[in-house]
Amino acid sequence: MSFRVVRSSKFRHVYGQALKREQCYDNIRVSKSSWDSTFCAVNPKFLAIIVESAGGGAFIVLPHNKVGRIAADHPLVGGHKGPVLDIAWCPHNDNVIASGSEDCVVKVWQIPDGGLSRTLTEPVVDLVFHQRRVGLVLWHPSALNVLLTAGSDNQVVIWNVGTGEILVHIDSHPDVVYSACFNWDGSKLVTTCKDKKIRIYDPRSGEIESEALCHEGSKATRAIFLRHGLIFTTGFNRSSERQYSLRAPDALNEPIVMVELDTSNGVMFPLYDADTNLIYLCGKGDSVIRYFEITPEPPFVHYINTFQTPDPQRGIGLMPKRGCDVTTCEIAKFYRLNNNGLCQVISMTVPRKSDLFQEDLYPDTLAEDAAQTAEEWIAGNDAEPLTFSLKGGYVSQSASKSLSVTKKANILNKASAGTSKSASSATLGGNHATSNNNNTTSGSGIVSGVSEKDLRDITDEIRKLKAIIVKHENRIRALEAAVRAHDGDENDSRPAVASAGNGNASSKSAADSGTQKESNDNSSANNQSHPTTSNDDEFN
């Protein structure tokens, strides 16, 4: 008689549940770009989705409480001249997001608390270096303001967003970079490339430490670092079957695990939860989400279950653990984009009877504060990300933060000699936003002066206000004269009427003669004030 031993795991019974439609986000024009991206980024404050936009590229930013049907004219973040390909929220500031686009520019934006009131077109800083479209943006896990970008020009660049300068330039990829990921403390970098190889870099020097064949198929591959140092990859074999593998950094050529899943042609995105060691595989065009647990004992990657939905997914985003509801034992929350414009919210929950805080499900998770500065990191210091306990709940501190950029002269001079020509032609002058459309960065230290355009706008507004004031003075004086005429004060009103002349109404003539000095002092403003309706429209 044989007995089947069931593996002991507190995540064996994790189940997914989709929220009701009225608790999701509807009527979103998701991007139709063929680029292999998740098209979605989420943090405890906002949901960002790349959308279709006329006249360039844009993405929409929604606070989590703005659920339901989204208006077609909802404000966007729309400063790119080409379609947006990838977006990523800063892990150390919930109000900062970076975006890469087909216009070869990376922009970093500051989103105001409460969301956008009108379309945002002025970024905090533009990062200009790539010569072809930028399809990958990635923040450093522990260093403040360190951003990695990769473009179709086969270049990987690591920036200091706080100064707008290039820290590291990696140009050893022979083809397009499909994915990149830092390890837990940001001291190593793994990339996958169109040449089917996986590479591990020292991100400070740009030197290759090891490389190997990733997957034999020619379609896009993905690789991520796990918390304890192993590397998880997804890709295709020669028969176009989808597969995943688990590898050790010092033996990339010998996968610990290599498993075929199915024959679908959609690229699989591995979404990793470092607190629980769970990996969620979400394929583009799939209607399922598979999840696995990584353990030290064979077979190392344990299949748990599959969450199924009736509609295929266009993109997906994973909420950081800070945004999960610990009172319901929620360990993950997905924002799943459908082709019909619905962003479906899916909650992954561990069934527990107790309402108390479950410490075994919620170890200390990533905090919002950075462990070190960009200068400390590039100098050679390694620091693990700061963590904190979710017991008692979480309150974002981003409201007291704002991204400040200190402009440096010739900030692209640190690029390699081979790119000096392109660097000299691509400068960052004028990249720092003097003001954004929501007045959120005023007084934050980003602006050091006022541009001529702003001065012209202010002067025009003052001129319009003067015209309105003069017009209302004329109206008041005319009404006073009309009241006096009505009361029978004809002896006082006739000289006023006679002195005005030119066939004007008696009340307006009296007002004009009484305000002749003001009209002379403000002649240019008064000339604009004659069409009453147009002034009202301009003022409004």
Side-chain angles (χ1 to χ4, degrees), residues 470 473-474 477 514-523 526:
V470 171
E473 283 186 356
N474 292 343
R477 293 178 183 273
T515 59
Q516 182 177 3
K517 184 177 180 180
E518 291 87 334
S519 300
N520 291 335
D521 293 340
N522 301 284
S523 59
N526 201 10

Side-chain angles (χ1 to χ4, degrees), residues 104-155:
C104 309
V105 180
V106 178
K107 295 177 182 288
V108 181
W109 311 83
Q110 180 103 20
I111 307 299
D113 282 337
L116 300 176
S117 59
R118 47 184 170 170
T119 296
L120 180 63
T121 58
E122 290 293 339
V124 176
V125 62
D126 288 344
L127 304 178
V128 181
F129 176 82
H130 293 283
Q131 301 302 308
R132 297 185 66 185
R133 60 184 180 180
V134 181
L136 176 64
V137 291
L138 174 70
W139 292 92
H140 193 279
S142 63
L144 183 64
N145 294 340
V146 175
L147 179 69
L148 179 145
T149 63
S152 294
D153 54 0
N154 309 339
Q155 309 296 311

Side-chain angles (χ1 to χ4, degrees), residues 180-239:
C181 182
F182 288 102
N183 66 345
W184 178 248
D185 61 359
S187 60
K188 304 292 181 186
L189 176 69
V190 61
T191 65
T192 58
C193 182
K194 194 174 181 180
D195 66 351
K196 305 180 184 179
K197 287 190 175 181
I198 179 173
R199 296 173 173 86
I200 297 179
Y201 287 88
D202 181 346
R204 297 186 185 90
S205 64
E207 297 178 355
I208 299 178
E209 296 187 350
S210 60
E211 64 178 321
L213 179 67
C214 187
H215 294 272
E216 295 180 346
S218 59
K219 295 181 181 179
T221 56
R222 293 288 186 274
I224 57 173
F225 261 113
L226 304 185
R227 181 166 184 169
H228 300 297
L230 297 179
I231 297 174
F232 186 89
T233 69
T234 62
F236 297 80
N237 61 13
R238 289 183 179 178
S239 304

Side-chain angles (χ1 to χ4, degrees), residues 286-323:
D286 288 0
S287 58
V288 299
I289 299 175
R290 300 179 178 92
Y291 40 105
F292 303 79
E293 184 179 4
I294 310 297
T295 62
E297 68 274 0
F300 306 107
V301 181
H302 300 271
Y303 170 76
I304 298 178
N305 208 341
T306 299
F307 174 79
Q308 295 188 348
T309 60
D311 302 316
Q313 57 204 16
R314 179 93 180 125
I316 197 161
L318 175 62
M319 170 74 77
K321 192 59 66 69
R322 293 181 286 126

Side-chain angles (χ1 to χ4, degrees), residues 1 11 17 60 83 103 110 167 195-196 200 244 251 266 278 310 339 348 370 386 432 450 468 480-481 486 506 530:
M1 187 174 181
F11 302 112
Q17 184 175 9
I60 190 170
D103 62 6
Q110 180 103 20
L167 298 178
D195 66 351
K196 305 180 184 179
I200 297 179
Y244 65 81
L278 293 180
N339 290 323
M348 294 289 181
L386 301 179
H432 304 301
V450 181
I468 295 297
E480 290 176 348
H486 181 70
S506 62
H530 286 298

Side-chain angles (χ1 to χ4, degrees), residues 92 140 142-146 185-187 204 369-384 386:
H92 308 123
H140 193 279
S142 63
L144 183 64
N145 294 340
V146 175
D185 61 359
S187 60
R204 297 186 185 90
D369 297 324
Q372 58 183 341
T373 64
E375 291 75 14
E376 292 172 343
W377 176 77
I378 197 63
N381 295 329
D382 290 329
E384 291 194 354
L386 301 179

